[in-house]
Amino acid sequence: QTVVTQEPSLTVSPGGTITLTCASSTGAVTSDYYASWFQQKPGQAPRALIYSANNKHSWTPARFSGSLVGGKAALTLSRVQPEDEADYYCLLYYGGVWVFGGGTKLTVL
Amino acid sequence: QITLRESGPTLVKPTETLTLTCNFSGFSLTTTKMGVGWIRQPPGKALEWLALIYWSDEKRYSPSLRNRLTLTKGTSKNQVVLTLTNMDPMDTATYYCVHDFWDGYDIWGQGIMVTVSS
């Protein structure tokens, strides 16, 4: 059973920078895992932010960026805004199937 | 503009079969590299990837649900149908259909909340 691990919760101050990570139980996350990131606010459907590790959708705010760091996929939020408070999920590709991480609850405080 | 909308029953009984339809617009499932996926989220819990159907009719299923899940293209060219057999209260969740553009998922439907209860 493949497990994708994210930090359960993180807190950041407005205007600050924070990095969320996404690790695979199978080993280092590489570009072959096509890491995606999604933001979900209460009562809403998730919204796609990042695909293929570091590519932004046309609607993704510039302060969001994706990368591969230290064997993990990472989502960095710069100049954090209060409206960035949400749950964030990563999604990894395993040769035909996809697996979500457990999500990170980001609090802006 | 791509849109997707899920429809189907919001209440099913244990052991019944769930059939959900995803009606979409703004793209064609006959176009190379297009796909439609299904993802669910139990109340208060994480997202769970379920299945994906490609333009080629190739299908992929979550290993944990493979024996219960079936994806088909609907009678309308802009439909994808998901069936999940032998429903259990643990299958209570919001079910989303999502557009896949080969490199990932981008546009999500609003979701449909399905409760399994007798």
Side-chain angles (χ1 to χ4, degrees):
Chain A
Q1 175 99 4
T2 302
V3 178
V4 177
T5 301
Q6 299 180 244
E7 298 87 357
S9 63
L10 292 170
T11 299
V12 62
S13 299
T17 297
I18 194 159
T19 297
L20 289 62
T21 67
C22 176
S24 172
S25 62
T26 61
V29 177
T30 67
S31 59
D32 292 336
Y33 286 76
Y34 295 92
S36 299
W37 291 91
F38 303 89
Q39 177 193 64
Q40 187 180 33
K41 296 182 179 180
Q44 297 182 15
R47 180 176 74 140
L49 294 174
I50 300 290
Y51 66 95
S52 294
N54 57 8
N55 294 279
K56 299 179 187 181
H57 293 281
S58 59
W59 53 82
T60 303
R63 62 182 184 275
F64 290 84
S65 63
S67 62
L68 297 175
V69 179
K72 300 179 182 180
L75 176 70
T76 299
L77 287 70
S78 306
R79 304 178 303 279
V80 172
Q81 305 295 309
E83 61 263 32
D84 296 334
E85 183 163 292
D87 293 328
Y88 291 84
Y89 292 94
C90 68
L91 178 64
L92 300 181
Y93 176 72
Y94 291 87
V97 297
W98 298 82
V99 181
F100 278 99
T104 295
K105 184 176 183 60
L106 181 65
T107 300
V108 181
L109 201 57
Chain B
Q1 179 190 5
I2 292 173
T3 64
L4 305 99
R5 190 177 187 94
E6 307 85 353
S7 62
T10 57
L11 179 65
V12 297
K13 292 181 169 55
T15 75
E16 288 185 341
T17 293
L18 172 69
T19 300
L20 293 176
T21 300
C22 176
N23 287 282
F24 58 85
S25 63
F27 70 97
S28 172
L29 204 43
T30 61
T31 301
T32 301
K33 296 191 175 182
M34 291 294 108
V36 172
W38 285 88
I39 291 158
R40 71 179 180 181
Q41 185 174 37
K45 296 189 177 181
L47 299 168
E48 179 184 12
W49 181 83
L50 300 179
L52 171 65
I53 185 168
Y54 289 111
W55 82 98
S56 59
D57 208 36
E58 186 178 354
K59 299 154 193 176
R60 296 282 185 257
Y61 296 105
S62 166
S64 63
L65 293 168
R66 184 184 310 275
N67 292 338
R68 299 172 52 207
L69 270 174
T70 304
L71 270 189
T72 58
K73 294 180 182 177
T75 52
S76 161
K77 65 176 183 176
N78 292 331
Q79 281 184 340
V80 169
V81 178
L82 175 142
T83 59
L84 183 60
T85 61
N86 194 24
M87 291 290 283
D88 181 270
M90 295 283 286
D91 296 312
T92 293
T94 297
Y95 287 76
Y96 297 99
C97 65
V98 190
H99 173 251
D100 175 84
F101 63 104
W102 190 254
D103 282 340
Y105 299 99
D106 54 356
I107 308 300
W108 293 60
Q110 65 183 22
I112 181 169
M113 176 64 195
V114 178
T115 300
V116 184
S117 175
S118 54

